[in-house]
Structure formats: C-alpha cells, structure tokens
Amino acid sequence: MAKSAIQKIAMNPSENIAYDKLVLSQQNVRRVKDGVTIEQLAEDIGRRKLLQSLNVRPVLDGDGEETGTYEVPAGGRRYLALGILVKQKRLAKNEPIPCIVNRSGTTSAEEDSLAENVHRENLHPLDQFRAFKALKEQGLDIQEIAARFFVSTATVKQRLRLASVSPKLLELYEKDEARLEQIMAFSISNDHARQEQVWERISGNPHMQEPYYIRRLLTETTVRADDRRAVYVGAEAYEAAGGVILRDLFEQDSGGWFQDAALLEQLVFDKLKLDAETIRADGWKWVETAISFPYGHTSGMRRVYAEPAELSTEEIARYEAVKAEYDALDAKYAEMEDADQEIEDKLDQLGAELDAFSDRPQVYDPAQKAIAGAFVALGANGQLQIEAGFVRPEDEPRVETGDDDEEAEGGDCDPSQSDDDSANHVVVNGRSVNGASDTAEEPEDEGIKPLPDRLVFDLTAQKTLALRNALASDPDIAFVTVLHALVLQVFYRFAKDSCLEINMVSNSLSQVQGLADTPWAKEIADRHEAWDRDMPESNNLWEFLLGLDEASRKALFAHCASLSLNAVVEPWNRRPGALAHADVLAATLGFDMVTAGWEPTVDNYLGRVTKARIIQAVREARGEDSAQLIDHMKKDLMAREAARLLVGSNWLPEPLRLEGDAAVDAGETIPEDAADETALDGDAAELPAFLADTASEEPTIQADEAKDHLEAAE
C-alpha cells in the first residue's frame, strides 16, 4: 500500500505595508491594559525599531475583494505604539511596517489574537538576571540599563546582585530546587564558597531553609552597621581601611553588616586611643579606654565633679545690670493693662541672657584633675561615653596624722598592758603624749604628767557604755549616726571618721556581662551620682546629715543600705539564711522580677541552657502545644523562637522565683539525655550543680559538716 504524502506547511507571507493602510481589529482579545504601558513601548520601538512584525488580515469588500486596507488582530499594542510615534512626528504616516499577512482564512481573527498571547512564555527571572549582567559587561551603566527597560536603578542593582550568586546555587534555582527568596537571601554575601557551605548545611532540613535563617548564617561572623562599634568608626573609615560592608538589597538591613569584625575592632581601638590622648591632654592624670566597662568598674574610687566657672568682675557687673533691667521692666509690664509685644520681646532677650549666666560651662579644679582620671567607652548609640573625675586610692593625697612620734616609739600598744611608762603611748585631745603608770609615785616638782594608758582605757570604756545607753534612748540621732557611718563607707571609701564599728560590704558583681546596661544599674548609678554631687568634705558630713530633712535622710539611708544587699547564689559560698531573708524582704517590698521588667532572652538565659531547659520553659509558660512547635529545631534557632514565645508570659527561671511562685511541675522531668546535649550542641552549657532540680545530684553533707557550713556562712 502506498504511503500517503505528508502535507507541507506554507507560511504566511511577510509584506511591508504602509502604516496608514492599517487599522486595529475589533476582534483583538486583549481588552485589559497590562504590563508595559503603550507609551513605554513606543519609546522602546523608537530606540531599537520594531522587533516583531504585526499579524494582519486584508479587509474585504462586499464582493470578497481586498480593499487595500488591513486589520491588525494580533499586535494591537505595537500598532498603538506606532501611532504614538506618528503623532509625535517621529514616524511618517506612510512608513512601511513589517507585517505577516494571513489570507488563508483557516483560523479566525480572535483565534490568532488569543494564540499570540497564550503561547507566549515569559522570560525566566534567571535569564533576566544574566541578561542585565551581560549588558553591564558590555559597558552600559546601571542608570542606562534602567532607562532602557523602564525600571528603577534599585531594580537593576537587585538583578545584578542576584546574577552574582554562586553558579551552583543559580543552577539549583534554574531546576526549581531552590526558591527565588532563598537566592535573594544568599545575595547578601559575595563569597561563593560560604554560600555553598551554608546551602550544604541547610539543604537536608526544610525547617532551616527560610530566608531569614540563611541571612543569619551568612552574617553570623559579621557586625551589624547599627552596632556601637560600627557607628563609632563609620562606614567610610571602615571601607577606606579595606573593609567590606554586606548589603541586603531586598530587605531593610539598617545599613548592612561589617564583614571583617577583626578589622573593625582594630579601628575602634585605634580611634579610642586617639580620643583618649585628646582627653588626657586636657589635664587628667590617666585615661582608660574600652568598648565597654564591666558593672562596678569604679568601685573603690572617690569621684570629684566639675563646678560652674566663676564669673569675672565684668561678668558679675553685667549680670547685676541685666537682672536689674529685667526686674524693672517686668514690674512695669505687670502694671500695664494691655499687652506690648515690644516689651515681651525685650523680656525674652534679657531672660535668655540671664539663663546664659546660669548655664555657663562647668570646669574641674586643675589640682583635682592632676590626681584624677577618666573612663572612656562607647555608648549604645556609638558615641563616646566619658566618665571623668575618679581618683584611685593610691592617688589620694596623703594626710599628715602627726603619728611620727608614735611610730618611733614602736607603734600601737595594747591598752590592757600594765604600767610600763616608757612603753605606753596615748592620744588625748588630738595630741600624742607618753603614758605613765597610774600607780607610780610622781615627784611633785616635775609637774603634771599625762594619764596612764590603762586609766585612759578604763575611763573611755565607761564613756562608751554611757554613750551607748544615751544613743539607744534617741532613735532619731541613732538613725543619723548609722547613716553617717554608711555614707562614709559608700561615698568616702577610706574615711574612718565614725565612732560606730559598722562595716558595710558591697559586692561589685563586675563578673556579670551586660549588667551595666540593665535599667536597674542605670537607676542606681543616676541616684548615686546625684547624692555624690551633694556630698561635702568628710569632716563636714555630720552637719550636712543633720541639716537634711527627714525624707531626704531616709532616702539616703535606703540608698546606702541597698548597696549592701547580696542575694547572689554562689556554689562556694552557701548562705541559706541570707538567701531566705532576701525572699522575705522581697515579699515585704511586694517585689518580683517580672514587675521589675525581667524577661527571658537569648543572651540572659535561653542561649545559656540546654535544649531540654528551653523546651521546659516554653512548656511551663505556654503549654505542651507550644513546646512541640520548637522541639525539632537546632539549639540557636530554638532559643530565638522560645524568646519570642515567652514574651509577656511572666515566666521566670527557678533562681529568680520567690517562695510561693509557680515552680516546675512535679511530674515533669528533664530527659535522660539532657546531660549529653552540651556535647551534641557544641555551645550549650550545663547548669551548675547548685541550681539543678534533682535532689539526688546534691552532695550529701553530714550533720556536723552542715553545722560547720552554716557557721562559716554566718
């Protein structure tokens, strides 16, 4: 049987038809204006001419004959764009237009119009990225590319950045094995090896493939641009030193990330050194610099403060003249019935001049600066934070005590010793005298000799008891006396001018990172500085305290007493009675850490415990369903999500709970493998034994040993 012949396809011919012979077909299916506007398409045709012919059909008369006019069912937007060019006289009316003429009649005009739009495949985004990159390599700048394709320069930068991602990752995107959002996240870094390393880390776990997590991994060794160090150095200086700033063109990045943390740190220290030299040149004995100092770094130092600069004779005369003029004009204006703008302006002018006298610069005494120094650190906003006027103990001026004779005699003596006149020494009424026996006969012709030490001891012992009794009968003066002793230790450090043998200990807590940035530390520091500025010389302190009103005296007493409070749990220093009293005190004050503003964060708790502890915290605060949302996550991501879940939950870890607060449910236990999570996570840390829940883990202490521990603690 003969094989049938395959019918060959005959293409519609291409003809150049004058524009004024073309009309828009009413059978064009496109009705909704979409995509590139007609005006932009006209500009593009004007630049690069027509890239695609029009699809046309001849218009027939009643007898079926061609009329010489052609309708355009497919390519209507190009036809309209050409019409704009004709109106602008950039194109002749009879300009020949390339057209494909369909005379076959095998398909309708509507079908041709629909087929042209439906069968069109949009360009894959990756092809567009690469095309923009090719244009850039051909010499076109970003602005020119943006102008030619009617997009913003930011869009061009984004496309070029995406095209610079690792070819391996772009290939995965081309195969739909990676999402566009992921490629956008990878574009933060220009390190292809690092990009591929991160992909290997996340590719096996769908929960780790979110764009925000990719960005976090790519920037985990960088420093954010809003970090105090980056703000202090500045992007310009960092880049001038060869540093690279990573930018995210697709999300708000607050200035990006400084890639080279080591370089940034070096620039910080170099700049701090220069700033310190400038400050030291102002007359300070020493200047210490650091990015941040630990809490309590000024402990043990006295502080001196600047005072307003003294007015010169001319300034005093000017102040009195302005004040007199202001008072006279103010009194005159008060008697006037109608407002006078001229007088009001004059009063404002005089008032501003008086304020300038009050707000004159404050200066330090040069003699004080010669023994004092300053701490220079970076504030949270990246600006220099200068704490000046601190005097180290070794720099304190030496006070002559008049004890040279005493030292020559061999130092202090035991008041209980007997009557060896040559060995005794006592200070009476501020004078250093040699003691004498109270039983030895003294020749009358030698005059009155100093009292023996033993007699002085006996007499002053009686005075001490009598004074104790008198002080006990006057609670108000007793309060001032104790306050006097506390203030000496808090504000004067080494002054020994109190007759009370009261010693106050204040733990600096300097080993805790970030403690100085807490709101409680800042409130205490502000309150302490306010009182410190008001303190007189130590020898005038008693009169100063007596002159305070009762409320101020109580406030100062509370401030000093509060600095001795210590509720820190330390494994080597067990103080069960003291810690129990801290809870009782908190209950009396109506205090709890939630009200004080504490919330669990990655830094202060969640990032420092095991995964089991994190899950336990979420379970206690939000329930089992919330705990199951995070139990599959890696440690660092789990901590971040837990912090988000615990916001507003009022949850507290065991060491911050007071007696009666909700504790861990008795039926809930830590999984047996919790102890191994430190090794598994790599960066997790076990809780110290003294904070562990399980009673069996506590070391067994015999009764006698427990008694010794308690006595030692007391």
Side-chain angles (χ1 to χ4, degrees), residues 3-43:
K3 188 175 181 180
S4 59
I6 298 176
Q7 186 177 3
K8 301 296 183 180
I9 298 175
M11 293 294 175
N12 291 325
S14 176
E15 300 180 17
N16 288 333
I17 302 174
Y19 178 78
D20 56 3
K21 299 297 183 182
L22 301 174
V23 295
L24 187 63
S25 173
Q26 297 304 309
Q27 281 72 42
N28 192 307
V29 299
R30 184 187 290 273
R31 293 287 187 268
V32 179
K33 188 176 182 180
D34 191 18
V36 180
T37 65
I38 303 298
E39 292 78 10
Q40 291 177 354
L41 180 57
E43 287 297 319

Side-chain angles (χ1 to χ4, degrees), residues 234-449:
E236 185 176 348
Y238 170 76
E239 290 181 312
V244 175
I245 299 179
L246 305 182
R247 298 303 304 266
D248 189 344
L249 299 183
F250 303 94
E251 297 285 346
Q252 177 59 249
D253 63 4
S254 300
W257 297 263
F258 286 47
Q259 187 176 32
D260 194 337
L263 173 62
L264 179 61
E265 291 262 335
Q266 186 59 50
L267 294 174
V268 168
F269 291 129
D270 290 345
K271 188 175 181 182
L272 277 175
K273 184 177 180 180
L274 294 176
D275 288 335
E277 290 299 327
T278 302
I279 296 170
R280 185 182 289 109
D282 195 34
W284 297 105
K285 182 175 182 179
W286 53 266
V287 175
E288 283 192 19
T289 61
I291 294 175
S292 63
F293 287 100
Y295 179 72
H297 63 284
T298 61
S299 178
M301 299 185 192
R302 178 171 63 91
R303 189 172 188 181
V304 297
Y305 294 95
E307 299 292 341
E310 293 186 3
L311 295 174
S312 64
T313 304
E314 294 78 7
E315 288 174 328
I316 293 175
R318 175 59 183 167
Y319 174 81
E320 292 176 348
V322 172
K323 185 69 167 61
E325 183 180 359
Y326 181 90
D327 292 342
L329 190 60
D330 186 50
K332 175 183 177 182
Y333 191 53
E335 297 175 356
M336 296 175 59
E337 296 183 357
D338 299 326
D340 189 318
Q341 186 63 43
E342 183 177 352
I343 294 180
E344 289 181 2
D345 293 342
K346 183 62 175 179
L347 285 173
D348 290 341
Q349 177 187 344
L350 296 174
E353 191 171 354
L354 291 175
D355 291 340
F357 283 105
S358 302
D359 299 335
R360 62 191 183 279
Q362 295 191 332
V363 296
Y364 286 91
D365 184 343
Q368 292 180 327
K369 292 174 70 173
I371 64 171
F375 293 97
V376 180
L378 298 184
N381 59 356
Q383 303 301 312
L384 275 186
Q385 186 174 343
I386 303 173
E387 298 175 283
F390 290 95
V391 183
R392 291 168 171 166
E394 60 268 24
D395 295 330
E396 290 285 359
R398 299 297 179 183
V399 179
E400 296 296 333
T401 61
D403 292 340
D404 294 343
D405 294 339
E406 179 182 348
E407 294 176 1
E409 292 292 334
D412 295 335
C413 300
D414 186 348
S416 64
Q417 295 293 324
S418 59
D419 311 307
D420 186 357
D421 294 355
S422 63
N424 290 338
H425 180 80
V426 69
V427 178
V428 178
N429 294 331
R431 295 185 297 108
S432 180
V433 297
N434 290 327
S437 172
D438 58 343
T439 59
E441 292 288 337
E442 295 182 1
E444 294 295 332
D445 56 355
E446 293 184 8
I448 299 176
K449 295 293 184 73

